[in-house]
Amino acid sequence: HHNYAHHPSDPDILFIANDGGVYKSTNFGASYTNIGIGLITSQFYNGFSSSRSDSNFALGGLQDNNTVVYRGNKQNWNRVIGGDGSWTAVNPADDNIVFGSYQYNNILKSNNRGNSFSNSTSGMTDGGAAFIAPYAIAESNPAVMYSGRRVIYKSTNQGANWFATSNFLDGNPAISLSISAKDENTVFVGTAPIQDSAHIFKTNDGGETWVDVTGDLPDRYPMDLAIDPNNKNVVYLVLAGFGSGHVFKTTNGGSDWIDITQDLPDVPTTAVAVDPISSDNVYIGNDLGVFASTNGGSTWMNFSEGLPEAVMAMDLNISMTNRKLRVATHGNGAYQRPLFNVSNFFMAATPSSIPGSVLEGTEITFGLNLNNLGALPQTETAEYTLRLLNEGYDELLTESQSHCCLEPGGSYNLDFESTYTPTEIGEYTIQYIRAANSQLSEPDTISQKFTVIALPQIAKSTVTKINRAYSPVSGGTTLGSGDDVQHKINLPFNFKYNGRTFNKIQISSNGWLEFGIGTDGSEFGLSTAQQIGNIGANENGRLGSTSRPSKALGPWWEDLNANSLANLTYKTEGSSPNRVFVFQWRDMLAYYDASITTTRVNFQVRLYETSYKIEFCYGEVQRGTFAGGDIGAMIGFKDHIGGDYHFYDIAAGGPGTQATIVTDLSPLSDWPGDGAVFVIENISTGVEDITPSIPSEFSLEQNYPNPFNPSTTIEYEMNDDGFVKLTLWDILGSEVVVLVNKFQTSGAHKFNLNAERLTSGVYFYRLIISNDENHSSPRYASTKKLVLLK
């Protein structure tokens, strides 16, 4: 919290300014309403990142307010992970693979564009990380990553495992890091002046040796480093503090540093970026805004047009697909503007925005916004081809459009005539392919992905609110207390939920209950601690999230605290076949911090054996002080998929998108009432139990048809969950393409291979199933031959 103010004539009206925006109370702080909607107050840290293939995809970390993902809609940045959002990274070759982090270098990885994350710090044993610690992906080899603590760690398998490249460099934690775009082995690191003076280190051999190249640089915080994308010996460094130079440059790999601050303001300088297409174009960010140079730092000009006055530019990032500079500010949100025009002709294409989740039966239209960001006019017609592909990469539609011409600075909306109305659920890929010509020497492909979902059964549930005297559980079994704790319990009877039968539950002190069956961690099993996340089960997997826990009920989902005065109790009432399982959260602190919260809440979940009816029952609220929570409570339930439309928000009255969920319920103003009961029915009515039969063994079938032209189907069966890798090889033993590379559950699976772009001949397909995504110890491997005849 940063400030507060009372209304001049009504002291009960109180306004609070905090890391989340502006809030108003009309009852002297008993409850608050967010009145900051529309204000731009987001406080970004360093480590903002953008996709190399999709201008509508970026992410960054916010102070106290999670990591946020931009998907082309500035009104809706999705919150993910939790805590203080820190550095992020997007795989330059595959933007399905992204990384986020929270304080002290706790890195998490996503394989689905930030929809869910898992821990990615295996092997990092040194805990001496800065509060906001750096890491990066090597552009020339995205399998290689570096991460900075007091020790610099390296991964050669996309963050699955890390190893130390050295002992302490100087005892200080790293706060800045840059990898050469051309050479994965060249890295520069800056350390903070904590145990010793600040230093700059470099390695040219992938971390086997580090060299101190600090020279006579001022002893200031080295906030950011940028290696020239076209020359690894040219490096830019920016420093915080006052009374010294703030921008330095080396042209010989750090042997000498030149102060190129010139007439830039004497204020902390926090960010630097170099244009990969025109390396003389350099951009820096400081406490007053953004400045730019077109001559490698010899002279500077103000580049803050369009920004609020005197913004703190925490990071700069270049979005290559639309040639825009992005600035993440501390307190004023994120902005973008075109980069300097390059000296030749340069065409940037931005695809029209499509939601990440599309309901089955929704018509989709396609288009591109074309911009000439060069200094020369377009004189030759450019051809653009639209392709829509399904999960098996079968081509569903294609269309070509041509356009000419654009003057420098000109733009044009290129609309395609084709539309598509999906009739099958799954992930789809849109490709816009620009052909090369004499002005555009290289072809370019811009990709978008979206998921088509059917309106799930959970959305058709009926919820009725009734009044019934609250009956506390007497006797029964009482579980332990504590903050952010979960307990796993076997149900006394099988319970059908959303079309599947479950036999156990997991209870959280944070007000949710999860169903499970089979192996913990599997698709329908109870979530493991790692899947739930290290930042607290209150954040991961909330109603609109695809993260675990899944198959979850949330009668009062908030960061509660089961301290010594509270307890979690369960009991089975009645006799078969009409038993009722009751779980009770009793005297729960309504917020995790017991030092500032005295309000306590009481509520239950009741599960009925025969009817599969669910009840959320609410008891008394012991009113007192209440902090309000970072996000607030929510009431509802979700299926095993989660995400848009795969939840039912009781406060909102139905399903919807993640953006529509009511997440700010307060026990002081929004409590359903002592004796209020939400009766939830029809989740399973009329739905066939689709629990799959499990094969007796792993097997890989012969593709059919075989020989084929150009499509064939590959089927395989799994008798247990595992990490699956299905690859295609040519007759010389070279890997042609990876067809499947992900975690899959037990059962029958198939892949439709479209080999339209391959030449005729003999190929081999190989299936590996393992316990880990690196396939270090395969449980099953099989190879079969297929023949493509054209």
Side-chain angles (χ1 to χ4, degrees):
H1 295 280
H2 301 284
N3 208 341
Y4 71 94
H6 287 282
H7 192 283
S9 60
D10 186 350
D12 281 341
I13 298 178
L14 174 66
F15 299 90
I16 297 288
N18 60 31
D19 286 352
V22 181
Y23 293 79
K24 177 183 178 180
S25 173
T26 58
N27 50 17
F28 200 66
S31 61
Y32 287 90
T33 301
N34 184 355
I35 62 170
I37 305 300
L39 291 177
I40 305 173
T41 60
S42 299
Q43 299 171 311
F44 281 95
Y45 282 126
N46 202 342
F48 193 91
S49 57
S50 299
S51 166
R52 291 297 299 266
S53 59
D54 184 355
S55 61
N56 287 331
F57 185 52
L59 63 164
L62 301 181
Q63 177 175 323
D64 275 337
N65 280 271
N66 317 111
T67 295
V68 288
V69 182
Y70 170 70
R71 303 185 192 275
N73 181 357
K74 71 177 183 179
Q75 280 77 33
N76 182 23
W77 288 61
N78 302 126
R79 293 185 182 222
V80 296
I81 302 176
D84 285 80
S86 304
W87 278 58
T88 64
V90 181
N91 186 308
D94 180 1
D95 66 5
N96 287 298
I97 302 172
V98 301
F99 294 82
S101 60
Y102 58 95
Q103 55 268 34
Y104 302 113
N105 201 223
N106 283 285
I107 303 171
L108 296 99
K109 178 180 180 181
S110 170
N111 291 314
N112 54 16
R113 295 189 115 213
N115 289 306
S116 62
F117 286 84
S118 59
N119 186 274
S120 183
T121 57
S122 177
M124 292 190 188
T125 56
D126 178 67
F131 187 77
I132 304 298
Y135 59 93
I137 301 173
E139 186 174 333
S140 61
N141 181 3
V144 173
M145 299 179 66
Y146 294 86
S147 180
R149 301 186 176 191
R150 291 180 303 179
V151 172
I152 308 302
Y153 285 89
K154 181 178 181 180
S155 173
T156 57
N157 53 14
Q158 295 187 339
N161 302 99
W162 298 83
F163 59 88
T165 65
S166 66
N167 292 320
F168 296 164
L169 298 179
D170 57 5
N172 292 323
I175 58 170
S176 53
L177 184 151
S178 180
I179 308 171
S180 168
K182 303 294 185 183
D183 180 6
E184 67 194 69
N185 295 312
T186 297
V187 186
F188 278 73
V189 170
T191 66
I194 305 298
Q195 303 298 329
D196 193 4
S197 299
H199 291 88
I200 306 297
F201 293 90
K202 81 163 185 179
T203 179
N204 285 329
D205 55 16
E208 291 188 16
T209 57
W210 291 89
V211 179
D212 186 341
V213 293
T214 309
D216 57 357
L217 287 168
D219 186 16
R220 298 288 188 267
Y221 280 80
M223 299 303 294
D224 202 13
L225 286 154
I227 302 175
D228 186 326
N230 300 301
N231 186 344
K232 67 179 183 180
N233 291 314
V234 176
V235 185
Y236 295 86
L237 165 69
V238 293
L239 304 178
F242 296 90
S244 68
H246 294 283
V247 186
F248 289 81
K249 176 181 181 180
T250 178
T251 59
N252 52 18
S255 296
D256 301 289
W257 293 93
I258 307 166
D259 187 345
I260 58 171
T261 307
Q262 306 295 340
D263 57 352
L264 289 169
D266 181 17
V267 295
T269 304
T270 45
V272 58
V274 181
D275 187 342
I277 292 179
S278 182
S279 296
D280 284 337
N281 293 346
V282 183
Y283 304 85
I284 66 100
N286 61 26
D287 277 7
L288 295 178
V290 179
F291 296 81
S293 172
T294 58
N295 49 26
S298 296
T299 58
W300 297 94
M301 66 187 77
N302 195 306
F303 203 66
S304 298
E305 181 181 356
L307 291 175
E309 185 177 359
V311 301
M312 298 174 66
M314 291 301 291
D315 199 16
L316 296 174
N317 180 259
I318 292 177
S319 173
M320 289 298 295
T321 52
N322 59 353
R323 287 284 297 165
K324 288 189 177 181
L325 179 71
R326 289 173 170 164
V327 54
T329 77
H330 197 75
N332 288 103
Y335 298 79
Q336 64 180 4
R337 66 170 291 184
L339 295 162
F340 283 123
N341 287 347
V342 293
S343 58
N344 57 355
F345 164 71
F346 184 87
M347 180 69 77
T350 304
S352 57
S353 179
I354 293 178
S357 297
V358 176
L359 279 178
E360 185 178 5
T362 302
E363 184 180 60
I364 299 171
T365 59
F366 308 92
L368 287 171
N369 178 251
L370 307 178
N371 290 273
N372 181 0
L373 302 181
L376 298 179
Q378 177 190 11
T379 59
E380 184 175 351
T381 297
E383 183 176 281
Y384 298 86
T385 299
L386 160 71
R387 295 179 73 222
L388 179 65
L389 311 170
N390 62 14
E391 280 187 330
Y393 272 69
D394 298 317
E395 190 171 79
L396 303 178
L397 67 84
T398 182
E399 179 189 339
S400 294
Q401 292 275 1
S402 299
H403 178 263
C404 190
C405 296
L406 284 177
E407 295 296 320
S411 64
Y412 179 78
N413 289 323
L414 182 66
D415 295 321
F416 290 84
E417 296 179 359
S418 300
T419 63
Y420 186 75
T421 302
T423 57
E424 294 184 2
I425 63 173
E427 185 177 75
Y428 292 75
T429 300
I430 304 169
Q431 292 181 339
Y432 296 99
I433 304 169
R434 186 192 67 199
N437 57 32
S438 62
Q439 278 194 301
L440 301 165
S441 59
E442 297 292 333
D444 189 24
T445 299
I446 300 172
S447 296
Q448 286 178 295
K449 289 184 181 292
F450 64 92
T451 300
V452 174
I453 59 175
L455 190 63
Q457 184 68 23
I458 202 165
K460 302 173 185 177
S461 307
T462 59
V463 178
T464 306
K465 185 178 181 182
I466 63 175
N467 293 313
R468 186 176 69 211
Y470 184 78
S471 177
V473 172
S474 59
T477 302
T478 298
L479 303 174
S481 60
D483 188 28
D484 291 343
V485 294
Q486 286 81 51
H487 302 276
K488 297 179 180 180
I489 304 169
N490 291 323
L491 285 170
F493 48 81
N494 289 340
F495 190 84
K496 184 178 284 189
Y497 176 76
N498 194 214
R500 291 186 183 268
T501 300
F502 297 95
N503 58 9
K504 53 187 173 181
I505 59 172
Q506 180 166 213
I507 303 292
S508 173
S509 62
N510 290 309
W512 55 261
L513 175 157
E514 180 191 36
F515 292 104
I517 190 170
T519 305
D520 289 356
S522 64
E523 184 175 8
F524 295 99
L526 296 177
S527 299
T528 63
Q530 185 180 38
Q531 288 173 324
I532 292 172
N534 299 328
I535 198 64
N538 58 298
E539 296 296 341
N540 233 25
R542 292 171 72 90
L543 281 184
S545 170
T546 57
S547 299
R548 306 292 288 256
S550 56
K551 308 95 57 192
L553 308 177
W556 192 259
W557 200 330
E558 168 59 305
D559 195 356
L560 307 177
N561 190 341
N563 70 352
S564 58
L565 297 179
N567 56 54
L568 310 173
T569 303
Y570 67 93
K571 182 181 181 181
T572 302
E573 300 176 346
S575 57
S576 181
N578 297 305
R579 289 172 290 182
V580 180
F581 178 83
V582 186
F583 194 93
Q584 174 176 273
W585 289 261
R586 187 172 72 191
D587 291 333
M588 304 291 296
L589 274 175
Y591 188 54
Y592 76 92
D593 192 339
S595 66
I596 59 176
T597 298
T598 59
T599 293
R600 293 182 179 273
V601 293
N602 294 271
F603 55 98
Q604 298 174 354
V605 165
R606 297 175 65 88
L607 307 178
Y608 288 78
E609 180 179 12
T610 303
S611 64
Y612 305 126
K613 180 175 68 175
I614 301 170
E615 291 182 344
F616 292 174
C617 308
Y618 298 88
E620 64 174 325
V621 174
Q622 300 173 24
R623 297 178 182 272
T625 59
F626 178 62
D630 295 329
I631 298 179
M634 58 183 66
I635 300 176
F637 45 95
K638 61 189 288 191
D639 65 13
H640 78 282
I641 298 174
D644 292 349
Y645 300 99
H646 284 266
F647 65 89
Y648 192 107
D649 181 3
I650 292 177
T657 64
Q658 188 177 39
T660 65
I661 297 176
V662 179
T663 62
D664 58 353
L665 298 177
S666 164
L668 300 180
S669 58
D670 303 304
W671 191 249
D674 187 358
V677 178
F678 290 111
V679 182
I680 304 166
E681 298 177 289
N682 299 329
I683 290 182
S684 297
T685 301
V687 181
E688 180 184 357
D689 190 337
I690 55 174
T691 304
S693 60
I694 299 176
S696 59
E697 60 183 12
F698 292 114
S699 65
L700 176 65
E701 306 301 325
Q702 184 65 50
N703 66 298
Y704 63 90
N706 189 42
F708 68 98
N709 179 28
S711 299
T712 188
T713 299
I714 300 171
E715 294 187 345
Y716 53 93
E717 292 188 339
M718 301 169 57
N719 67 357
D720 198 0
D721 305 338
F723 289 91
V724 175
K725 188 171 186 179
L726 179 64
T727 51
L728 185 68
W729 300 73
D730 62 24
I731 198 168
L732 299 178
S734 298
E735 184 179 293
V736 177
V737 65
V738 177
L739 305 176
V740 177
N741 189 14
K742 61 183 178 181
F743 180 85
Q744 292 185 314
T745 55
S746 58
H749 299 269
K750 67 179 180 179
F751 182 86
N752 296 316
L753 171 63
N754 188 324
E756 186 177 40
R757 298 191 173 190
L758 299 179
T759 58
S760 295
V762 176
Y763 294 86
F764 298 90
Y765 58 100
R766 179 171 176 78
L767 176 69
I768 298 176
I769 303 174
S770 307
N771 290 323
D772 63 280
E773 60 184 333
N774 301 315
H775 301 285
S776 56
S777 300
R779 286 185 287 165
Y780 177 81
S782 181
T783 302
K784 292 185 181 295
K785 181 172 68 174
L786 49 76
V787 180
L788 173 61
L789 292 179
K790 290 189 174 181

